[in-house]
Amino acid sequence: MHACHRPVLIMLAVLLLAACAGSSVRPVAPPSPVASRLAESITIKAIGLTGTPYRYGGNTPAGGFDCSGLIGYVYREGAGVTLPRSVRAIADGPWPKVAVAGLSTGDVVFFAPDGRGLSHAGIYVGEGRFVHAPATGGTVRLDPLDRGYWASRVRHGMRILR
């Protein structure tokens, strides 16, 4: 290969890798006015559940919540939307993926706590914060996306309401 072709090939390789890496998370249109109103309802309901005890398999305020149970309850009660029961099933759903920088209120946000697959999720409530049910012995809480434990584990969001 001629030396003058190397920079062009390197640039093409970089562009191809960048396109492949970003292919699953694309810019998504902002929520419609109706979706924005439903997202507001979801946000209010999610924040109102802070302090509810964590319970593996839980999906009601009386019985406690795990992360996917919280999300399912809030979407069902706040917007009339039925979601799959597990984080993985929600993540595999038909909704568009959203980059963390493009999150809107009401989006589901996903995490890879073990560095591998998605196994935790919460509801983005705006201002860089999300509501989630993190762990046994804890409670539903509001945490920042950009600092602490969750900052390096956040992967992307999904826009359920459009």
Side-chain angles (χ1 to χ4, degrees):
M1 164 182 359
H2 194 274
C4 68
H5 293 138
R6 280 191 200 121
V8 172
L9 290 175
I10 290 170
M11 180 59 95
L12 287 173
V14 168
L15 290 172
L16 180 60
L17 288 172
C20 290
S23 63
S24 63
V25 179
R26 296 191 172 113
V28 176
S32 69
V34 170
S36 292
R37 284 192 296 281
L38 290 172
E40 205 173 294
S41 174
I42 285 170
T43 299
I44 291 166
K45 191 157 287 300
I47 291 171
L49 292 167
T50 58
T52 304
Y54 176 93
R55 184 173 69 85
Y56 182 78
N59 60 2
T60 66
F65 292 107
D66 63 12
C67 67
S68 58
L70 172 69
I71 293 166
Y73 177 84
V74 168
Y75 266 83
R76 190 174 52 256
E77 298 297 315
V81 174
T82 301
L83 295 176
R85 181 57 180 96
S86 72
V87 169
R88 185 76 256 162
I90 296 169
D92 288 341
W95 308 283
K97 290 182 181 177
V98 180
V100 174
L103 288 170
S104 289
T105 301
D107 287 346
V108 176
V109 61
F110 295 92
F111 301 85
D114 62 4
R116 295 186 306 259
L118 303 175
S119 60
H120 186 65
I123 298 170
Y124 185 72
V125 296
E127 298 180 11
R129 300 170 303 156
F130 70 107
V131 172
H132 64 129
T136 300
T139 61
V140 173
R141 67 184 200 214
L142 184 65
D143 277 328
L145 279 173
D146 64 350
R147 354 183 250 286
Y149 178 84
W150 299 106
S152 65
R153 292 162 174 86
V154 63
R155 294 299 177 258
H156 62 81
M158 284 187 113
R159 179 124 334 126
I160 309 294
L161 304 171
R162 294 175 269 156

